[in-house]
Amino acid sequence: MKILGIETSCDETGVAIFDEEKGLIANQLYSQIEMHADYGGVVPELASRDHIRKTLPLIDAALKEANLTAKDIDGIAYTAGPGLVGALLVGATIARSLAYAWQVPALGVHHMEGHLLAPMLEDNPPPFPFVALLISGGHTQLVKVDGVGQYELLGESIDDAAGEAFDKTGKLLGLDYPAGVAVSKLAEQGTPNRFIFPRPMTDRPGLDFSFSGLKTFAANTINANLNAEGNLDEQTRCDIAHAFQQAVVDTIIIKCKRALQQTGYKRLVMAGGVSANKQLRADLAEMMKNLKGEVFYPRPQFCTDNGAMIAYTGFLRLKHGEHTDLSVSVKPRWAMTDLPEIA
Ligand code: KG4
Ligand code: ZN
């Protein structure tokens, strides 16, 4: 079985082909990041228009990469939500139309389930059950995972997602959107403990997160440390980035440890854009070593949005006999816990 996967939920057009026997046989990605950088964030209408331009050429490129033609494809998976409605509609319309023309089943895939299952594409995939930490630009969630579709939400952010906090704080530090990687680069040059940011919601029980206060704390710290010219000197910029990143990382680690203790599970799976963060990976590895557990993550290119995770997730569900009807419908808001279980 060969499944074509299409991802268009936000600012990346991803197309990939997953083959039941050979695994991932094509992976194409076009990032719109440069186009949105001038505006300081994703402009939904521009995102939709660009997905229209890029999706079909990327499908052609993926078929070519895998040395296949349309006749070899057995099913199509597309991101149906959550995400930007216009962007989702582009992928859904193209996927549905091709499925109709090619006479194959199609299925709308949940973007966060795609992120959650992305580590399964690696050589050492995590066995069930595990705790998943999903940290992207739009989501911060801790999920108890007992199998595909067997999800229990343990906690989530009550305001900004972790990636959003990186992006907003990065903007205050004068960095372009999306600022996650750039903040972590500045943080590498930072002096530890010159500034101490709060670890929000760690002093009370529970597994929810709150990151919006960190951006305010960053704004206040910046204002209090401007030099005579009204700017931040370079070292202070790095020190603030360092203090911010350490606060996010420590907070996430405290909550992950709690989630593992609460479930009694020994395996942690981390996915979503922020899981590419080096400090977070290093500190989590250390914590898991102390707990005698194991941590799994996708390769960096599959931490951020991509078509491979959608092709793979679609493959699991289409193989199981699931598909959706011919209408083009998307779900900009969609709880992962509503997904059906695969026995
Ligand atoms: O999963 P993703 O590609 O898109 C969403 O579904 O949101 O995640 C993008 C987010 C952005 O907020 C970006 O700044 C953040 O992930 N990010 C990082 C790093 N790489 C990407 N944040 C911190 N450190 C990184 N190395
Ligand atoms: Zn994502």
Side-chain angles (χ1 to χ4, degrees), residues 7 9-12 111-112 115 135-139 162-167 177-184 245 271-278 303-306 309:
E7 155 64 37
S9 68
C10 190
D11 55 354
E12 254 108 26
H111 180 81
M112 297 311 291
H115 275 304
I135 33 176
S136 68
H139 293 82
E164 198 178 349
F166 266 95
D167 295 339
Y177 175 88
V181 181
V183 169
S184 67
Q245 174 172 272
V274 185
S275 64
N277 186 276
K278 283 190 201 147
C303 285
T304 44
D305 291 349
N306 64 85
M309 66 186 195

Side-chain angles (χ1 to χ4, degrees), residues 46-96:
L46 294 183
S48 312
R49 289 189 210 176
D50 209 50
H51 287 307
I52 293 174
R53 277 191 288 270
K54 295 295 180 336
T55 308
L56 285 174
L58 285 183
I59 293 172
D60 278 337
L63 288 169
K64 207 166 162 201
E65 183 187 347
N67 214 0
L68 299 176
T69 68
K71 286 192 208 71
D72 300 309
I73 298 297
D74 302 297
I76 304 182
Y78 57 95
T79 305
L84 301 170
V85 66
L88 291 168
L89 277 169
V90 176
T93 308
I94 292 174
R96 277 274 149 227

